[in-house]
Amino acid sequence: MKQTETKDHAGLAEDFIKDEERVNWHDGALWYIREKRDIASKQIPEWEALREAASQIKNNVISNLHDYLLQFEANLTKNGVKVHWANNADEHNAIVYSILKAKGITEMVKSKSMLTEECHLNEYLEERGIGVINSDLGEYIQQLDNEPPSHIVLPCIHKRKEEIGELFHEHLGTEKGLSDPTLLTRVARKHLRNVFLTRRGALTGVNFAVAETGEYVVCTNEGNADMGAHLSEVQIASMGLEKIIPQKKHLSVFLRLLARSATGQPITIYSSHYKKPREGQEMHLILVDAGRTRQLGRTDFRNSLKCIKCGGCMNTCPVYRKSGGLSYHNTISGPIGAILAPNLDMKKHADLPYASTLCGSCSNVCPVKINIHEQLYKWRQVIVKEGYAANTKALGMKAMAWTLASPEKFSTAGKAGRWFLHNIPFVVNNKFNPWYKQREMPEGPKESFAEWYAKNEK
Amino acid sequence: MTTREQILEAVLKNQPESMPLPDIGMFKGGDDDTVRKYIDIFKTIGGAAYLVDDLEVVKSMVAEQFDTTKRIATTLPEMQDIAELIAPAIDPHLYEDVELAIIRGHFSVAENGAVWLTEEVMGQRIIPYICQHLAVVLTAESIVPTLHEAYERIGLGDYGFGGFIGGPSKTADIEQALVLGAHGPLTMTVYIIR
Ligand code: SF4
């Protein structure tokens, strides 16, 4: 992996914002997705009630997790799935390795799983002679470039198509200068189809795990999880403990919220319910703690475990949009990453809760109603108290500065009002955002990214 | 202590006092025209849906819309004269070159375009993912308004594998440009029998 860990968020963001054209594109593309989420959510009159229900279901999960885990485990076993438990990344990786080794498997295909990214599973297996290919297109591209994903839903959103064309030229032998997204996707389709057909082992992540039935649901748009799983002899699923939901019918609430919050789609193309191995196949599921029980014990931060990884908080965050996911130097970036990471390593991630203007936009879009910006504020207090706050005050000011920098960029695209809306998306009247206190926010006229892009590209 | 015991003990120690599950019984769809709504939504996600009289019409439409010189696989005995029947127990890799798969859907969901399929109607789990083009046949009265009615219908379910499929596979990973046909089918067609 490329090293991004020597600088803090502010330093890495400074690097990212040097390329002004890229930053403007990145910022606009994510804002466009945020607008699609708004349109999708407004088509559901009961949207707010669904968010409330999802939040309450998840509250029930984290407060009864012990019993749900036992119920889930019992049902998995009944269904013929082998259950494993892992305290940390090393234990998780060792389990995957031993499953593959027992079958003499030396090549594995993997669909999107932030957990295995966090565990550095690929590196672990490669050191032991097992090759892994990430099959989600965005993750595949990131793997070719030896970089971690920069967004949990859109792993290579920070890359331009010409750069991807260059990677394909270098690694897959495509013609130099090829940058058409459809043509590039076709090349990857062909290449990865061969991978799916030849891999005996497949690993997927898990979106929802149903305690009541022992089945787990994996959501993708590309169909890559299914291509890998249904052609494999050994299917492995890795999940964090918090992915449990109590009952089958609760899937209706979560699946209605997930894709609409993520990309504005009514549902992901594939929502696959895996329950039993097919004839002649082995199925394994690994339950991973890796800091989750510790977060569960932190009263102020435990409800970060409600996250369903929709990426909505990233798309709306003015700091994320302008600094890029890699500047967070953590697998999960953006606002949710900034409240999960300090739990894993407070010293290393002390800068992340400061990568925010505390505008509250993240909390407003979160489908499970996590009080993200309040937790960011609370982490700052903890970090100061624990003595990790060397220059964090300056960091907070920097986040504000990028967000508010050079409004003239947008004055070409419309009135100042739109600039405000875009940069301070919600401006909740909250006590956390010092900037808000003295100011009334104007309502901004809306302009879609497509319109903005059309105007500015010319 | 085993890892399992350590984790379970830590969870028990750290989890907060139990909070109740909410009632989700009030969530349901309106009584608008679910068939019309389904067709409209399915089009917006890149699929094609047709309202037809019977399987004979489906057969002639398939002949018009797809290349029937290539391999066609089905689980519908009625389609046998234009397609091979899928064998449930053979190696799934043998379906690598299926051009078109025609299968029955249990039902579909008007609000999001998704069709519910279990391995029983797929023939083999891999079929609706590995084919280049997917065609699903279902009845108009089976369409439900929202996912709430959908899960009511599915119940606990006694399948080994089931899934919603809502359109052709897609990606927008390269500069957010929508491309249909990522790893799964390039197109998806739903024939709704009146
Ligand atoms: S914190 Fe909320 S908005 Fe952010 S990814 Fe998780 S569920 Fe989505």
Side-chain angles (χ1 to χ4, degrees):
Chain A
M1 280 291 143
K2 284 182 191 165
Q3 274 303 319
T4 52
E5 281 157 28
T6 44
K7 290 186 183 175
D8 62 12
H9 176 265
L12 293 163
E14 298 292 353
D15 294 345
F16 186 74
I17 57 181
K18 271 184 203 139
D19 184 346
E20 199 178 323
E21 200 276 328
R22 183 198 301 272
V23 177
N24 288 345
W25 188 89
H26 186 263
D27 180 18
L30 289 163
W31 182 249
Y32 178 54
I33 300 166
R34 155 66 214 280
E35 289 185 323
K36 288 206 291 190
R37 170 254 171 223
D38 289 353
I39 293 166
S41 65
K42 286 194 182 102
Q43 281 161 4
I44 308 285
E46 64 275 29
W47 183 257
E48 288 307 315
L50 277 173
R51 284 179 73 212
E52 183 56 37
S55 168
Q56 288 184 22
I57 295 168
K58 284 286 186 174
N59 284 338
N60 172 267
V61 170
I62 58 174
S63 61
N64 294 278
L65 191 56
H66 177 268
D67 291 358
Y68 286 139
L69 283 167
L70 287 177
Q71 189 189 2
F72 183 54
E73 181 193 41
N75 282 322
L76 283 165
T77 309
K78 209 166 72 197
N79 292 338
V81 179
K82 176 105 174 62
V83 185
H84 308 261
W85 299 75
N87 263 320
N88 50 41
D90 276 346
E91 286 185 19
H92 166 266
N93 295 347
I95 291 167
V96 175
Y97 177 62
S98 70
I99 295 169
L100 297 173
K101 194 159 175 256
K103 285 269 162 186
I105 293 174
T106 54
E107 288 179 310
M108 182 176 84
V109 63
K110 194 180 93 174
S111 72
K112 205 191 280 166
S113 147
M114 289 303 130
L115 174 60
T116 59
E117 289 291 332
E118 216 171 282
C119 291
H120 299 287
L121 174 68
N122 292 14
E123 292 88 330
Y124 179 97
L125 291 177
E126 264 146 32
E127 279 165 22
R128 286 157 185 80
I130 294 181
V132 184
I133 290 186
N134 294 345
S135 59
D136 170 84
L137 180 58
E139 282 214 310
Y140 178 68
I141 291 166
Q142 286 306 93
Q143 190 180 17
L144 288 180
D145 202 19
N146 204 20
E147 247 184 12
S150 73
H151 187 291
I152 57 177
V153 176
L154 319 155
C156 65
I157 185 72
H158 63 295
K159 279 193 166 65
R160 304 307 305 265
K161 60 181 192 289
E162 292 77 16
E163 296 170 290
I164 296 167
E166 195 47 42
L167 279 171
F168 276 36
H169 172 64
E170 195 184 309
H171 295 274
L172 305 175
T174 52
E175 189 189 319
K176 200 164 172 64
L178 182 74
S179 67
D180 177 74
T182 303
L183 295 177
L184 291 172
T185 302
R186 290 286 174 269
V187 171
R189 175 185 171 89
K190 202 168 153 225
H191 191 79
L192 282 163
R193 192 156 263 256
N194 185 50
V195 169
F196 292 127
L197 286 164
T198 51
R199 294 313 185 265
R200 293 164 54 212
L203 187 144
T204 73
V206 169
N207 289 90
F208 304 101
V210 186
E212 182 183 34
T213 57
E215 75 201 285
Y216 59 90
V217 176
V218 181
C219 303
T220 75
N221 276 322
E222 299 181 7
N224 56 314
D226 292 287
M227 283 294 278
H230 302 315
L231 290 169
S232 71
E233 273 168 51
V234 178
Q235 180 180 338
I236 305 169
S238 296
M239 63 174 265
L241 304 176
E242 80 285 9
K243 290 293 164 83
I244 298 254
I245 61 169
Q247 295 161 17
K248 180 86 166 267
K249 69 175 183 200
H250 295 140
L251 285 169
S252 64
V253 172
F254 291 107
L255 291 183
R256 291 188 84 191
L257 289 165
L258 177 63
R260 289 182 174 100
S261 299
T263 57
Q265 292 172 259
I267 188 169
T268 49
I269 302 296
Y270 302 104
S271 312
S272 298
H273 299 47
Y274 293 94
K275 202 185 210 170
K276 298 173 186 166
R278 63 165 205 282
E279 197 61 37
Q281 188 197 33
E282 255 181 42
M283 248 166 99
H284 297 261
L285 185 134
I286 311 172
L287 286 158
V288 187
D289 181 345
R292 285 156 178 85
T293 54
R294 188 168 57 239
Q295 191 84 322
L296 189 62
R298 298 187 199 265
T299 316
D300 285 341
F301 306 109
R302 64 164 59 108
N303 78 15
S304 60
L305 296 171
K306 290 158 70 176
C307 175
I308 59 171
K309 305 278 163 23
C310 73
C313 56
M314 303 175 176
N315 304 342
T316 199
C317 176
V319 175
Y320 176 90
R321 281 186 272 121
K322 290 189 179 137
S323 59
L326 297 179
S327 66
Y328 291 76
H329 55 82
N330 185 55
T331 308
I332 315 262
S333 56
I336 180 66
I339 56 178
L340 292 174
N343 172 56
L344 300 174
D345 185 340
M346 208 181 295
K347 184 160 179 247
K348 187 171 148 205
H349 300 301
D351 55 327
L352 293 187
Y354 292 86
S356 167
T357 63
L358 304 179
C359 76
S361 176
C362 45
S363 306
N364 275 281
V365 299
C366 178
V368 288
K369 295 181 113 170
I370 300 172
N371 56 337
I372 308 167
H373 72 293
E374 290 174 21
Q375 291 192 37
L376 286 166
Y377 183 75
K378 285 181 180 161
W379 265 125
R380 293 183 186 184
Q381 325 300 308
V382 175
I383 283 160
V384 170
K385 212 160 58 208
E386 303 279 324
Y388 295 125
N391 59 350
T392 43
K393 193 151 198 157
L395 290 178
M397 295 312 290
K398 273 191 175 154
M400 195 72 89
W402 301 313
T403 303
L404 305 179
S406 45
E408 63 279 3
K409 259 182 231 165
F410 290 96
S411 62
T412 57
K415 300 192 186 83
R418 202 191 91 81
W419 177 85
F420 277 106
L421 183 75
H422 182 100
N423 287 280
I424 325 278
F426 270 95
V427 195
V428 191
N429 190 357
N430 68 53
K431 59 183 184 296
F432 305 110
N433 182 352
W435 199 78
Y436 178 72
K437 278 182 192 144
Q438 286 81 3
R439 295 167 176 83
E440 272 295 314
M441 288 297 137
E443 251 302 301
K446 289 207 175 142
E447 182 181 41
S448 73
F449 172 64
E451 291 162 351
W452 175 84
Y453 189 78
K455 254 191 246 171
N456 285 270
E457 275 305 87
K458 287 194 180 124
Chain B
M1 218 175 8
T2 63
T3 295
R4 176 179 179 277
E5 285 160 358
Q6 283 168 18
I7 293 174
L8 285 168
E9 190 188 277
V11 170
L12 196 59
K13 189 174 127 237
N14 289 344
Q15 72 187 18
E17 207 175 301
S18 177
M19 282 176 270
L21 273 176
D23 176 15
I24 60 166
M26 70 292 195
F27 293 121
K28 49 171 91 58
D31 38 30
D32 30 337
D33 183 353
T34 49
V35 177
R36 185 59 17 227
K37 189 164 176 201
Y38 177 79
I39 293 175
D40 290 346
I41 298 263
F42 196 60
K43 275 183 192 150
T44 65
I45 51 187
Y50 303 97
L51 203 52
V52 299
D53 284 333
D54 53 33
L55 279 176
E56 282 310 309
V57 183
V58 174
K59 227 184 268 181
S60 59
M61 289 179 81
V62 164
E64 260 168 54
Q65 292 166 341
F66 299 96
D67 182 352
T68 49
T69 63
K70 293 191 170 148
R71 188 175 181 192
I72 304 181
T74 188
T75 46
L76 293 161
E78 298 88 342
M79 293 285 151
Q80 265 186 92
D81 47 332
I82 59 163
E84 67 180 78
L85 276 184
I86 295 161
I90 64 171
D91 178 2
H93 293 84
L94 297 172
Y95 289 104
E96 175 207 346
D97 60 343
V98 168
E99 177 73 5
L100 171 69
I102 312 170
I103 58 181
R104 187 169 65 82
H106 293 291
F107 66 87
S108 65
V109 187
E111 70 161 330
N112 59 28
V115 176
W116 173 250
L117 304 159
T118 59
E119 59 191 335
E120 173 206 341
V121 294
M122 294 173 182
Q124 284 243 10
R125 296 182 184 186
I126 193 65
I127 289 291
Y129 307 98
I130 204 169
C131 59
Q132 298 293 327
H133 302 274
L134 174 63
V136 176
V137 181
L138 48 87
T139 61
E141 64 272 13
S142 73
I143 302 176
V144 298
T146 72
L147 279 178
H148 304 296
E149 292 83 5
Y151 278 102
E152 219 165 88
R153 266 197 74 157
I154 296 169
L156 294 183
D158 69 349
Y159 49 81
F161 174 76
F164 283 108
I165 300 187
S169 79
K170 69 162 83 156
T171 179
D173 277 347
I174 303 177
E175 281 201 1
Q176 278 302 293
L178 176 66
V179 180
L180 297 183
H183 301 301
L186 300 156
T187 70
M188 179 170 171
T189 308
V190 174
Y191 301 104
I192 304 162
I193 300 189
R194 279 195 185 91

